[in-house]
Amino acid sequence: MEERQFINKIYLSSLFPVTLAVLLIQLCSVINNIVVGRLLGSDGLAVTSVVSPISFIFATVGSLLAVGGSIQAAHFVGNQNFDGCNRCLYLTVKLSLVIGVALTAIIMVFNGVVLNVLGVPDSIRKETRNYILAFAPSAFAAIGIYIPFNYLKINGAQKYGVYVSGIMAIVNISLDIVFVKFFNMGMAGIGLASTIAYFSATLPGLFILYSKKGGFKKPKDKSFGGIKDVLISGSPSAVNNLCNLLRTYFLNLIIVSALGKAGLSTFSVISTIFMFSVTISNGTSLSMAPFAAVFSSEKDTKSLRQIFTAAMVSAVVLMTVFVGILEYMPEKICRFFSIADSDALAMATNAVCIFSVSLILSGVNTIFSTFYQSIKHTLFSNALTVLRNFALVVLFALYFSKKGNGENLWYAFLIAEAITFLLTFVISFIISRIRKDLSAFLLMDEVADKSGKFLAFSVDNNNASAAESAEKITGFCEQNEMSPKLTMALGIAIEEILVLFNDHALKDEKTKLRSNVRILIHDDVVVLRFRTAGKQFNPIKYADSDEDLMSDTMGIKMVKKLSEVVLYDRVFGINNLTILF
């Protein structure tokens, strides 16, 4: 398998479960509102609308901690610091628990103040209080639900994220019906259903993370050190949530002023379409994030380019299909939202056609922003998020509303995405000219590449190819003036490790090409890394458990003697072995 095929395979293995998990979370919210509307009518919907800022706070804190922590953890994996990776998870859970308990206490004790801050009208005040008192205890679980979703990707167990999301959706919707229809609990039942649903998903998710399937362990250091790095890494995700909230608020004001009630109905359709487009943009970008973080720490620019390309192609293709559906039946989609008035229907249909075009660029810009976030260009990622999700959209919507033809304000979304796309290239190019160590546009650290201290190649899944690959490094070793002893050690290590993986991890997949080899010279240390798919196989554990000097463990035992450090881990569902010389 060529390295590009290798990267594409591991990316696609993550794309489907991550996208499905995002979709289930979105559907849970939509269906929950439908159930509330059916069972409790307009008053129930009014309550869910007025308390939405509470859910927003939980989601913002959850994405800030979980996305930031998982990106930091992936960087630790790239640096072969697996205890650091475990510590990131421990710190994320700890922070989620502390903040969650604090938020629950504040909402429960000061519920009257909360109701006033939310501006709850007297007509629904009692039901709203019942809801928030039942929903407030979910704070930790509502924040923590983001933890398994983001961390399971690191060890290739992302399919369990689908299970967790599915459990939450099923439990929430089922209990909504039971508590309201059979126990007549009103909005208190809706809040309690959500609380139970979050805990029924979050707790099993955390259990899976610390199980054999999740692969995480308790770290040696259990202090609160490292909070700053987690918060910085996660800030683009939190900023994105905040921008979406502010954008909705200001656009509501602008649309009401320019287009009245029909405009708000149209904006409701647009907002729902956007919510489903997030399934694609977040699915494709979040599938890329942990890979990009690991490759960035490994200074593996070749794999970085390939994972970025895989994510970008997936986003463009999937979003184009989605846009095609919207453009094919815009009127039917608007009628689905019960827009019947001819003028309002014409406005909504036109808006959907205009808005949908922006979604392709939205997917592209999301990939860029998440990529920069993953490789620690956090400030740039935050700037792009603010521009496209808030500042430019509101600015151009306001401009069009003041020009007399308010229906043109739907072009604000397309213009905002287009300008952000252009600025991404211009600003990244300027940054790369200022910092000569960074590549143009993707801003990757190219020091190792330019110095000739990096070599990567894929190897066929057979022992003859393993022997041939050991010979490939001769020129690389000569170019970097390595000693004959080190050159020999590298050759032995490459052949012996590949043979072991072929005979154990890949023994049932002889026709497939599965192994990737990478050599990096960094700070006078030679780093030799192997990635191999197939069954989980730990060569170190295998060698330590075998005392037969004539067995196939002789090779790995020799490698351990010739090297300084040998580390194994299962990352992204793939065997990773790193040897330091």
Side-chain angles (χ1 to χ4, degrees):
M1 178 182 290
E2 295 296 326
E3 189 171 1
R4 180 179 298 278
Q5 293 175 294
F6 186 90
I7 297 297
N8 287 342
K9 184 176 180 63
I10 60 174
Y11 173 75
L12 291 175
S13 69
S14 177
L15 177 60
F16 176 75
V18 170
T19 302
L20 182 56
V22 174
L23 178 61
L24 286 172
I25 292 173
Q26 300 286 10
L27 285 175
C28 179
S29 176
V30 173
I31 297 175
N32 188 63
N33 283 339
I34 292 174
V35 172
V36 170
R38 293 278 187 179
L39 297 178
L40 298 172
S42 58
D43 282 355
L45 289 175
V47 172
T48 58
S49 177
V50 79
V51 300
S52 60
I54 296 177
S55 298
F56 165 78
I57 291 172
F58 294 168
T60 300
V61 175
S63 59
L64 173 68
L65 299 179
V67 175
S70 62
I71 287 177
Q72 283 295 112
H75 278 282
F76 277 121
V77 169
N79 290 321
Q80 306 304 312
N81 183 351
F82 299 112
D83 188 66
C85 177
N86 290 326
R87 188 171 176 279
C88 282
L89 174 58
Y90 180 83
L91 182 61
T92 304
V93 175
K94 202 172 183 180
L95 284 171
S96 299
L97 181 60
V98 170
I99 295 174
V101 170
L103 287 173
T104 295
I106 291 170
I107 295 171
M108 297 285 283
V109 174
F110 302 102
N111 64 85
V113 177
V114 172
L115 291 173
N116 291 334
V117 171
L118 293 174
V120 181
D122 292 338
S123 61
I124 58 171
R125 193 174 181 88
K126 180 180 179 181
E127 280 297 291
T128 304
R129 176 182 279 109
N130 292 338
Y131 175 86
I132 65 172
L133 290 177
F135 182 62
S138 74
F140 163 63
I143 292 170
I145 189 65
Y146 293 88
I147 298 174
F149 175 73
N150 285 279
Y151 275 90
L152 284 168
K153 294 179 289 184
I154 294 176
N155 285 336
Q158 55 270 8
K159 68 179 181 180
Y160 294 102
V162 178
Y163 302 157
V164 166
S165 302
I167 289 171
M168 183 178 70
I170 293 171
V171 171
N172 196 356
I173 295 165
S174 299
L175 291 182
D176 277 346
I177 297 171
V178 171
F179 289 155
V180 175
K181 193 169 183 179
F182 296 101
F183 289 92
N184 198 31
M185 294 175 65
M187 287 306 300
I190 299 297
L192 181 59
S194 295
T195 296
I196 295 174
Y198 275 123
F199 275 103
S200 68
T202 299
L203 295 181
L206 295 176
F207 175 79
I208 292 171
L209 281 169
Y210 282 106
S211 70
K212 183 178 179 180
K213 296 182 184 298
F216 285 91
K217 303 174 182 177
K218 291 183 179 180
K220 298 175 183 177
D221 181 3
K222 298 180 181 179
S223 69
F224 271 102
I227 292 178
K228 180 181 177 181
D229 292 333
V230 169
L231 297 181
I232 290 174
S233 292
S235 61
S237 300
V239 168
N240 180 65
N241 283 348
L242 179 61
C243 284
N244 285 334
L245 179 69
L246 292 175
R247 180 181 67 180
T248 301
Y249 174 76
F250 283 104
L251 286 181
N252 272 328
L253 296 179
I254 294 170
I255 291 169
V256 167
S257 176
L259 299 172
K261 184 178 179 180
L264 282 181
S265 298
T266 297
F267 188 45
S268 177
V269 176
I270 295 298
S271 297
T272 304
I273 291 173
F274 174 76
M275 184 177 67
F276 279 102
S277 75
V278 167
T279 299
I280 297 173
S281 57
N282 280 2
T284 52
S285 62
L286 293 177
S287 297
M288 170 193 67
F291 297 107
V294 169
F295 298 152
S296 175
S297 289
E298 291 180 340
K299 313 297 182 187
D300 188 349
T301 56
K302 186 175 181 181
S303 293
L304 265 176
R305 286 192 185 91
Q306 290 169 351
I307 202 70
F308 173 84
T309 301
M312 186 62 76
V313 170
S314 298
V316 171
V317 170
L318 292 176
M319 200 66 86
T320 300
V321 172
F322 182 61
V323 170
I325 295 172
L326 295 175
E327 292 286 350
Y328 179 71
M329 55 177 68
E331 184 175 325
K332 290 183 179 179
I333 291 171
C334 294
R335 288 185 182 278
F336 179 78
F337 288 87
S338 301
I339 299 178
D341 179 79
S342 58
D343 291 339
L345 182 61
M347 178 191 296
T349 301
N350 181 57
V352 169
C353 291
I354 295 171
F355 172 74
S356 64
V357 178
S358 72
L359 294 178
I360 297 175
L361 280 176
S362 174
V364 169
N365 287 332
T366 301
I367 295 295
F368 270 110
S369 180
T370 304
F371 183 79
Y372 293 137
Q373 178 185 7
S374 302
I375 64 175
K376 294 195 171 183
H377 291 299
T378 313
L379 182 60
F380 191 21
S381 178
N382 276 321
L384 294 177
T385 299
V386 172
L387 282 173
R388 58 182 289 263
N389 278 354
F390 174 64
L392 291 174
V393 175
V394 172
L395 177 64
F396 281 99
L398 183 61
Y399 168 78
F400 285 122
S401 71
K402 297 298 184 182
K403 293 296 287 184
N405 186 0
E407 292 194 34
N408 283 336
L409 65 79
W410 309 115
Y411 284 103
F413 294 96
L414 177 59
I415 294 172
E417 297 290 358
I419 291 177
T420 302
F421 179 72
L422 293 175
L423 287 176
T424 299
F425 280 88
V426 172
I427 297 174
S428 62
F429 180 77
I430 293 172
I431 293 173
S432 68
R433 297 286 72 79
I434 296 173
R435 288 189 54 182
K436 302 296 184 182
D437 57 319
L438 300 180
S439 65
F441 307 126
L442 294 187
L443 302 180
M444 301 179 297
D445 185 345
E446 291 191 317
V447 172
D449 283 357
K450 292 178 179 178
S451 64
K453 297 182 180 297
F454 170 85
L455 177 66
F457 54 91
S458 296
V459 184
D460 288 3
N461 180 16
N462 58 71
N463 292 345
S465 295
E468 292 174 3
S469 66
E471 301 174 3
K472 289 183 179 181
I473 66 165
T474 302
F476 175 80
C477 293
E478 291 177 352
Q479 177 185 341
N480 290 283
E481 300 179 346
M482 295 184 189
S483 66
K485 181 179 178 181
L486 180 55
T487 301
M488 179 193 70
L490 285 170
I492 291 173
I494 290 173
E495 182 171 0
E496 294 296 334
I497 298 302
L498 288 175
V499 167
L500 268 181
F501 277 133
N502 288 344
D503 291 345
H504 294 275
L506 307 174
K507 67 177 182 179
D508 297 326
E509 304 181 49
K510 291 295 185 181
T511 61
K512 299 179 182 179
L513 310 176
R514 294 281 183 173
S515 295
N516 171 273
V517 180
R518 176 176 175 272
I519 307 173
L520 171 69
I521 303 174
H522 183 63
D523 293 336
D524 296 324
V525 175
V526 179
V527 182
L528 176 61
R529 187 222 62 206
F530 300 84
R531 284 199 188 103
T532 303
K535 297 178 181 178
Q536 183 167 356
F537 174 68
N538 185 345
I540 303 173
K541 185 177 180 180
Y542 179 67
D544 291 343
S545 64
D546 184 22
E547 298 181 357
D548 186 356
L549 296 179
M550 298 305 292
S551 72
D552 62 352
T553 62
M554 287 183 61
I556 183 64
K557 289 176 180 177
M558 184 185 302
V559 170
K560 289 177 67 176
K561 290 180 179 179
L562 293 172
S563 61
E564 296 292 330
V565 178
V566 182
L567 300 169
Y568 170 85
D569 197 31
R570 181 84 168 175
V571 182
F572 307 135
I574 294 171
N575 298 295
N576 284 259
L577 186 73
T578 302
I579 306 172
L580 306 182
F581 293 90

